[in-house]
């Protein structure tokens, strides 16, 4: 069975996946194990006892359909070598600010259009779950992406776009849970986990239902002085406020510096790597940044192992990511 712990660098990963056959075998082992043909499950009918064909595909004895190990994965119907897909997954998951399509195109020798398609497909694996719930102490904050009017000619600027205006900016809402883990040295260590989503606006009717969905009742919620957060105490939360309007940024452990740190990382990722992101794809880039933040304590090999599992449909639960990736 393949041991993903050995892939602590791009060199070790590419040395192992040196051929298309080795890549296909890794998918088979990860999906169905290394047992007999009876362990191969048909992706169409769920039947077992699938026979292996000479062309390295499989045939289901129940529905009589032929299929390859790539059916049901993000690699289905692709004509690109699997090794290039694996390299792209490794690069985007291990680089702190991601990798641009232009850079990836040069690294794996494909066109920029193909590299962009690959990255967008890989980002679908980062989607945040609607079933995750935060508890304990949770910081909430909003940020506005885009709308750099200062770069426009004075005659082309949109008026009244300052502050929280959404005329030329897209609002994003984030929640960050403060937690602790037992690290590899057996010591307790503080860590934070983030959820972030594009929202239509930052009104009370928009933000508070999101908080109710993703934050457990009874948790302590820390926000700034935005009026949209008024009334959280009546919803069963211990609401603490840090008033940035009077230059207050921390009162003991009452602060939103952690979530603001994530926004800083996200902005640098956009400006330093991708330069600009359209509203259509903004959520995918947020998902990428959130995944990288939530697994930042994991090693490169652990993160690649998790991404490999996601690519073939083996989605891990939130608690498994916390315990399996971070504390292993």
């Amino acid at each position: 069975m393949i041991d993903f712990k050995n892939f602590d660098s791009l060199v070790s990963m590419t040395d192992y996946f040196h051929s298309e056959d080795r890549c296909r075998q890794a998918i088979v082992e990860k999906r169905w194990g290394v047992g007999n043909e009876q362990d191969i499950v048909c992706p169409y009918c769920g039947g077992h006892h699938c026979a292996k064909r000479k062309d390295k595909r499989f045939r289901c004895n129940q529905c009589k359909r032929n299929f390859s190990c790539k059916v049901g994965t993000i690699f289905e119907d692709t004509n690109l070598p699997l090794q290039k897909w694996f390299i792209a997954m490794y690069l985007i998951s291990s680089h702190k600010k991601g990798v641009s399509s232009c850079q990836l195109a040069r690294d794996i020798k494909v066109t920029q259009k193909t590299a962009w398609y690959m990255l967008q497909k890989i980002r679908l694996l980062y989607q945040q779950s609607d079933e995750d719930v935060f508890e304990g102490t949770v910081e909430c904050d909003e940020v506005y992406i885009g709308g750099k009017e200062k770069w426009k000619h004075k005659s082309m600027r949109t008026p009244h776009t300052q502050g929280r205006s959404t005329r030329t900016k897209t609002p994003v809402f984030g929640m960050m849970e403060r937690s602790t883990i037992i690290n590899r040295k057996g010591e307790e260590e503080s860590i934070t986990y983030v959820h972030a989503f594009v929202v239509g606006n930052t009104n009370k009717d928009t933000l508070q239902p999101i908080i109710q969905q993703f934050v457990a009742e009874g948790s302590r919620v820390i926000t700034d002085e935005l009026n949209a957060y008024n009334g959280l105490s009546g919803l069963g939360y211990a609401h603490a406020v840090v008033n940035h309007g009077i230059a207050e940024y921390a009162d003991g452990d009452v602060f939103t510096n952690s979530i603001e740190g994530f926004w800083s990382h996200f902005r640098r990722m956009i400006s330093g790597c991708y330069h600009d992101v359209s509203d259509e794809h903004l959520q995918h880039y947020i998902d990428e940044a959130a995944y990288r933040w939530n697994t930042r304590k994991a090693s490169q090999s652990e993160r690649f192992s998790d991404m490999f599992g996601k690519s073939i449909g083996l989605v891990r639960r939130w608690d498994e990511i916390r315990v399996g990736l971070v504390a292993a």
Side-chain angles (χ1 to χ4, degrees):
M1 178 68 75
I2 181 174
D3 187 0
F4 284 87
K5 293 181 180 179
N6 296 326
F7 306 145
D8 56 355
S9 69
L10 183 62
V11 173
S12 60
M13 192 273 291
T14 52
D15 282 346
Y16 183 87
F17 295 112
H18 57 78
S19 65
E20 190 73 3
D21 288 342
R22 178 65 66 86
C23 294
R24 287 176 177 270
Q25 183 60 32
I27 294 177
V28 171
E29 291 182 5
K30 191 71 172 178
R31 292 186 74 175
W32 301 304
V34 292
N36 300 321
E37 293 179 350
Q38 64 182 7
D39 297 325
I40 306 298
V41 179
C42 175
Y44 298 110
C45 70
H48 293 255
H49 301 278
C50 299
K52 190 173 184 179
R53 293 161 47 98
K54 292 183 179 179
D55 61 0
K56 301 175 184 178
R57 302 174 72 201
F58 302 95
R59 181 172 179 82
C60 178
N61 293 324
Q62 293 187 21
C63 66
K64 308 301 180 183
R65 299 184 68 174
N66 299 326
F67 61 93
S68 74
C69 63
K70 296 190 290 185
V71 173
T73 72
I74 68 169
F75 316 116
E76 185 175 356
D77 297 329
T78 182
N79 293 321
L80 290 170
L82 287 171
Q83 186 186 46
K84 293 190 176 184
W85 279 99
F86 293 175
I87 292 174
M89 289 166 48
Y90 195 95
L91 290 176
I92 193 175
S93 63
S94 61
H95 285 198
K96 188 173 183 179
K97 296 181 181 178
V99 58
S100 70
S101 59
C102 293
Q103 182 63 53
L104 181 64
R106 292 189 291 268
D107 289 343
I108 64 176
K109 293 186 178 180
V110 297
T111 65
Q112 184 274 334
K113 185 177 180 180
T114 297
W116 185 89
Y117 167 78
M118 294 174 69
L119 291 175
Q120 289 298 94
K121 204 165 186 180
I122 292 172
R123 287 190 185 100
L124 294 176
L125 306 176
Y126 292 125
Q127 288 181 348
Q128 300 171 78
S129 174
D130 290 338
E131 299 179 358
D132 298 334
V133 177
F134 284 164
E135 57 186 8
T137 297
V138 181
E139 301 175 25
C140 296
D141 193 33
E142 69 289 337
V143 72
Y144 299 83
I145 305 299
K148 294 288 186 179
E149 293 291 310
K150 65 180 180 179
W151 304 120
K152 296 181 181 179
H153 189 274
K154 195 171 184 179
S155 63
M156 301 295 292
R157 295 177 185 173
T158 305
H160 309 298
T161 60
Q162 296 82 3
R164 293 187 170 97
S165 171
T166 58
R167 290 191 177 190
T168 59
K169 292 174 285 191
T170 303
V172 180
F173 177 64
M175 298 158 287
M176 180 169 285
E177 179 193 61
R178 300 179 192 171
S179 185
T180 58
I181 60 169
I182 303 300
N183 60 24
R184 293 174 176 83
K185 297 180 180 179
E187 302 170 345
E188 189 174 80
E189 181 179 352
S190 298
I191 193 171
T192 56
Y193 301 98
V194 68
H195 276 318
F197 307 95
V198 174
V199 293
N201 55 64
T202 55
N203 298 334
K204 181 177 182 178
D205 293 339
T206 299
L207 300 188
Q208 292 199 10
I210 297 176
I211 295 175
Q212 288 182 284
Q213 178 181 354
F214 290 99
V215 181
E217 186 176 343
S219 301
R220 183 174 66 150
V221 177
I222 303 175
T223 70
D224 57 21
E225 71 278 15
L226 183 66
N227 291 333
Y229 300 120
N230 294 342
L232 286 177
S233 298
L235 298 177
Y237 300 103
H239 185 201
V241 178
V242 54
N243 195 336
H244 293 162
I246 59 173
E248 180 185 50
Y249 300 102
D251 182 8
D253 66 344
V254 178
F255 55 81
T256 57
N257 298 340
S258 302
I259 184 69
E260 288 168 5
F262 171 74
W263 296 139
S264 179
H265 276 271
F266 178 65
R267 288 183 184 276
R268 286 199 295 270
M269 183 186 82
I270 297 299
S271 61
C273 183
Y274 304 116
H275 305 303
D276 188 33
V277 174
S278 66
D279 290 347
E280 179 184 0
H281 301 292
L282 178 58
Q283 184 61 56
H284 297 319
Y285 290 89
I286 294 172
D287 292 340
E288 175 190 343
Y291 178 83
R292 191 174 289 111
W293 180 278
N294 292 336
T295 60
R296 65 194 181 280
K297 296 294 185 179
S299 66
Q300 292 185 4
S301 58
E302 290 169 334
R303 193 180 293 111
F304 176 69
S305 174
D306 185 60
M307 287 302 303
F308 190 91
K310 290 177 182 293
S311 71
I312 61 176
L314 303 178
V315 180
R316 303 181 72 177
R317 299 191 310 273
W318 177 247
D319 57 344
E320 288 179 328
I321 291 178
R322 295 204 214 194
V323 178
L325 282 180
V326 179

